[in-house]
Amino acid sequence: MRIDALDQENVRSPFQRALRIVLRDKTGLIGVFLFGTVLFCAVFAAYIVPHSPIEQNLRISRQPPGWHEAGDWEYPLGTDNLGRDMLSRIIYGSRVSLTVGFFGVLIAMSIGMLLGLVAGYLGGTIDNVIMGVANLFLAIPYLLLVVVVAAVLGRSLINVILIFGFTNAPLFVRITRGEVLRIRKSGYVESAVSLGAKPGRIIFGHILPNLIGPLLTVATFEMSGMIFYEAGLGFLGLSVPPGIPSWGNMLAAGRQYIQFSPWIAAFPGLAIVFTSLGMNLLGDWLRDVLDPRMRRSAS
Amino acid sequence: MQRYLFTRVIQSGLLMLGVLVITFFMVRLTGDPARTMVPRDASPERVEQMRVAMGFDDPLIIQFARYVGGAVRGDFGQSLHYRAPSMRLVLERVPATIQLTLAALGFALLFSVPLGIIGGSRPGTIWDTLARGFGLLGQTVPNFWLALMLIVVFSVELRWFPTFGRSGFASVVLPAVALGFFPLGQFTRLIRSAVLEVRSEDYIRTAYSKGIEEWQVLSRHIFRNVSITLVSILGVQFGYMLGGSIYIESIFAWPGIGRMINEAVQARDFPLVQAIAVFSAGFVVVLNLLTDIAYALIDPRIRYED
């Protein structure tokens, strides 16, 4: 009976397993829903916004949300200090956040995976040098590094992406290297080596496929982290130029009016919480699906 | 143990040298540090003046030697904005930041320890849900937004706490809660999973089967294990909170180094920025060193390694 159950577990495809875990663990489903909503907003922003996100109308500036007695459902989340529709700006803001998060992680993961593979596989001096530099960057308070570099380079979307991509790479180097070392010690790699498999075959056939699970999980959490940090930079006036609707820029503007018009700061922050909640739930779920060693944590 | 200590001290020294290299090149990222250190609309004469004043004309190696030589003596040059030695300005601001950080840490521990232990020892109950909920919220609520919302509710609406400044106990509460919310979540998660893991160990079952009261098992066996986990991430947490204080201190006008970083960056006062960066990194490096030593003292397995 017990052996049967184990067998069944093994014949399931990853897709079936994913489906089963989603159904068993409702939080994964919530994560998919939250993240899906944000992704939808980012992709179809131009078609779903009720108003222009940049057009100013000072006659209706700082109008409270629709449910407020002074509000108007024409602007469901109210308007900002320049009379721009909050809802439309939040929808457009998701584009900046997801772009920075996605490309930032892509760069960080590419650099980190490459260097981590080299360090973990070759070992020796190269390993020491790569890990020395990685640990060095991890020793500096991350936010400080990011803030200073952003201030030196100036406000632009490309700069922000590059900053996150490069400063986040050491984390991926460390994780990749750790996984490579673990996988190299495993029985199946040892037997492949003793059967005469060449390094290329071991790296591409054995190590890389096993790296994808853990790295993808970390990538989800890191992407959520970058969305956080981008908003933080925007809050300090160091992210994308002020004309672009981003959650951080909106927060920075809202801060000035916190006393009498708190919704201007409240809603972009809620959007960040919404997104990061989705990505964290998604990450937990991915870990359960992709990383068998962690699976018991789901129960 | 001695060999372990020796290697860790050498490593920390190398790390600090690396920090100096990074902070040196950090202000030269655009290729023209003189341009970086003046306002964006500055005249070419002003840029040239800065270039000469800061010695950016000299060969890079000479500039670097000068930088390291000064740094070793604690000299990071004059702050461009305050016209005073940078490191002295930083040190003046340190007590306020340490006070805030400790308050935040205290807040985080005060709630995470009971929550994590109760949640972990009663899986599936409402306490467990609460512990997991806070663990998740700590990760997903940005501290700068939380700070603004705390001001809206507790300063503007309820008028319980001041909106900004550093004047007595009431003024530290909101900034400490905002800064401590992330560690609160992280500690809760760590403690909960540590308790869950320890609970299933044989010696805990033995302790229970001997008829030892639950609170005794918790305090004697489980809490000791959990404290190891906590100590091991304390250094990392301090580094995080130093970063987080950039927002929190700016929002609450708290006169610490976090606010100073923001001001220095906005004023393009990069000698001051360098001093802050080196100080903060040094602080974290020393703290990590101390944590590792403490860790080695608590956990015999590390002491006897190699």
Side-chain angles (χ1 to χ4, degrees):
Chain A
M1 189 54 195
R2 174 136 182 87
I3 293 169
D4 267 6
L6 275 177
D7 272 353
Q8 276 181 4
E9 177 85 27
N10 287 339
V11 293
R12 277 174 209 278
S13 71
F15 178 73
Q16 281 174 307
R17 218 161 57 210
L19 205 66
R20 210 171 66 109
I21 290 176
V22 161
L23 294 178
R24 194 183 59 198
D25 184 11
K26 300 282 188 302
T27 54
L29 203 60
I30 299 173
V32 172
F33 172 74
L34 294 182
F35 182 65
T37 309
V38 179
L39 194 65
F40 180 83
C41 285
V43 174
F44 297 105
Y47 304 102
I48 56 176
V49 287
H51 299 279
S52 154
I54 44 175
E55 204 171 294
Q56 304 179 5
N57 185 354
L58 290 174
R59 270 178 303 141
I60 51 158
S61 75
R62 298 204 274 147
Q63 188 167 301
W67 56 86
H68 194 276
E69 52 198 47
D72 178 356
W73 279 106
E74 180 68 23
Y75 303 96
L77 299 183
T79 60
D80 70 1
N81 51 314
L82 297 173
R84 296 172 293 197
D85 178 39
M86 290 288 297
L87 178 64
S88 307
R89 287 177 69 72
I90 285 177
I91 292 175
Y92 262 96
S94 63
R95 287 192 164 178
V96 174
S97 291
L98 288 191
T99 309
V100 170
F102 180 78
F103 287 103
V105 163
L106 197 68
I107 294 173
M109 199 158 98
S110 313
I111 301 174
M113 219 165 109
L114 189 71
L115 292 179
L117 262 176
V118 171
Y121 197 82
L122 296 181
T125 318
I126 295 180
D127 183 22
N128 285 336
V129 171
I130 292 178
M131 287 320 289
V133 174
N135 285 329
L136 176 60
F137 275 94
L138 290 169
I140 297 180
Y142 183 70
L143 205 59
L144 181 80
L145 185 72
V146 170
V147 164
V148 177
V149 175
V152 171
L153 292 184
R155 300 179 81 156
S156 88
L157 184 65
I158 301 287
N159 282 353
V160 174
I161 291 174
L162 288 179
I163 291 168
F164 286 133
F166 280 96
T167 54
N168 208 242
L171 188 80
F172 283 95
V173 174
R174 195 190 260 185
I175 292 163
T176 308
R177 176 178 174 272
E179 285 296 315
V180 170
L181 289 182
R182 188 183 61 79
I183 297 166
R184 272 194 76 177
K185 270 192 217 146
S186 64
Y188 60 87
V189 170
E190 267 177 24
S191 45
V193 173
S194 61
L195 282 171
K198 295 204 169 64
R201 192 189 161 87
I202 290 172
I203 289 176
F204 290 104
H206 295 291
I207 294 181
L208 270 182
N210 282 297
L211 271 175
I212 292 169
L215 281 184
L216 207 58
T217 308
V218 176
T220 316
F221 289 116
E222 286 310 303
M223 189 168 157
S224 155
M226 281 183 199
I227 290 174
F228 241 78
Y229 285 121
E230 189 280 323
L233 279 185
F235 183 69
L236 296 177
L238 294 171
S239 184
V240 290
I244 299 177
S246 81
W247 295 340
N249 287 349
M250 295 175 75
L251 267 170
R255 186 185 160 194
Q256 320 291 329
Y257 303 95
I258 193 77
Q259 204 160 357
F260 300 111
S261 316
W263 63 89
I264 303 180
F267 292 123
L270 278 179
I272 300 170
V273 175
F274 188 91
T275 310
S276 120
L277 200 62
M279 303 215 62
N280 273 281
L281 293 174
L282 200 66
D284 282 339
W285 169 69
L286 270 179
R287 178 162 56 201
D288 293 337
V289 179
L290 296 172
D291 192 347
R293 283 170 305 146
M294 301 296 289
R295 201 165 295 154
R296 69 197 166 94
S297 72
S299 55
Chain B
M1 180 71 183
Q2 267 169 356
R3 222 184 93 189
Y4 173 73
L5 276 184
F6 182 71
T7 354
R8 282 297 286 116
V9 171
I10 295 288
Q11 271 175 359
S12 303
L14 284 175
L15 219 51
M16 278 320 291
L17 189 68
V19 167
L20 288 180
V21 175
I22 291 182
T23 48
F24 176 78
F25 283 106
M26 204 158 63
V27 300
R28 288 167 173 78
L29 270 178
T30 54
D32 188 357
R35 200 64 274 149
T36 305
M37 293 194 193
V38 295
R40 290 222 182 274
D41 49 2
S43 62
E45 294 80 35
R46 181 86 186 74
V47 178
E48 205 44 49
Q49 215 182 341
M50 178 65 78
R51 198 187 313 281
V52 177
M54 301 296 288
F56 292 140
D57 283 335
D58 298 328
L60 208 59
I61 186 79
I62 301 223
Q63 291 182 45
F64 183 67
R66 199 161 51 212
Y67 179 66
V68 173
V72 172
R73 286 178 281 119
D75 178 9
F76 285 86
Q78 295 272 314
S79 151
L80 300 175
H81 179 67
Y82 293 95
R83 313 257 168 220
S86 300
M87 201 39 123
R88 207 188 72 206
L89 290 167
V90 176
L91 293 177
E92 278 168 9
R93 298 284 196 109
V94 169
T97 295
I98 296 206
Q99 184 196 14
L100 177 58
T101 309
L102 287 180
L105 210 56
F107 163 76
L109 287 173
L110 188 70
F111 286 91
S112 61
V113 171
L115 202 56
I117 290 183
I118 299 175
S121 51
R122 288 175 176 62
T125 62
I126 179 82
W127 293 106
D128 188 30
T129 312
L130 210 60
R132 290 171 63 169
F134 268 96
L136 195 61
L137 278 182
Q139 267 179 320
T140 50
V141 177
N143 55 17
F144 42 92
W145 180 71
L146 181 64
L148 293 179
M149 294 303 112
L150 287 174
I151 289 179
V152 170
V153 176
F154 294 101
S155 300
V156 178
E157 293 294 326
L158 298 171
R159 298 179 181 279
W160 286 357
F161 302 104
T163 327
F164 62 84
R166 181 180 180 226
S167 51
F169 178 73
S171 68
V172 80
V173 174
L174 293 187
V177 170
L179 189 58
F181 200 67
F182 177 80
L184 165 69
Q186 196 170 35
F187 290 168
T188 308
R189 257 179 308 127
L190 273 173
I191 295 170
R192 177 182 166 270
S193 56
V195 171
L196 268 179
E197 202 169 304
V198 175
R199 245 169 48 105
S200 54
E201 296 277 345
D202 286 342
Y203 62 86
I204 300 291
R205 204 180 323 139
T206 311
Y208 275 122
S209 66
K210 284 198 299 189
I212 294 174
E213 296 266 343
E214 184 173 17
W215 66 270
Q216 276 189 318
V217 177
L218 277 177
S219 62
R220 197 168 299 170
H221 295 288
I222 293 185
F223 192 71
R224 195 169 292 181
N225 277 292
V226 168
S227 65
I228 294 181
T229 319
L230 277 183
V231 166
S232 70
I233 61 159
L234 225 54
V236 179
Q237 275 308 324
F238 253 93
Y240 156 75
M241 285 200 277
L242 270 173
S245 69
I246 300 178
Y247 304 124
I248 303 303
E249 290 185 1
S250 303
I251 293 173
F252 290 98
W254 189 264
I257 46 179
R259 182 165 161 232
M260 190 178 233
I261 297 169
N262 190 23
E263 288 169 353
V265 157
Q266 309 285 353
R268 315 198 75 76
D269 186 352
F270 284 99
L272 186 56
V273 169
Q274 282 177 319
I276 300 172
V278 172
F279 176 84
S280 309
F283 194 77
V284 173
V285 166
V286 170
L287 210 68
N288 276 329
L289 181 65
L290 292 179
T291 328
D292 281 357
I293 294 171
Y295 200 48
L297 290 176
I298 306 178
D299 193 340
R301 278 171 303 183
I302 301 197
R303 211 182 309 161
Y304 298 120
E305 226 171 60
D306 37 59

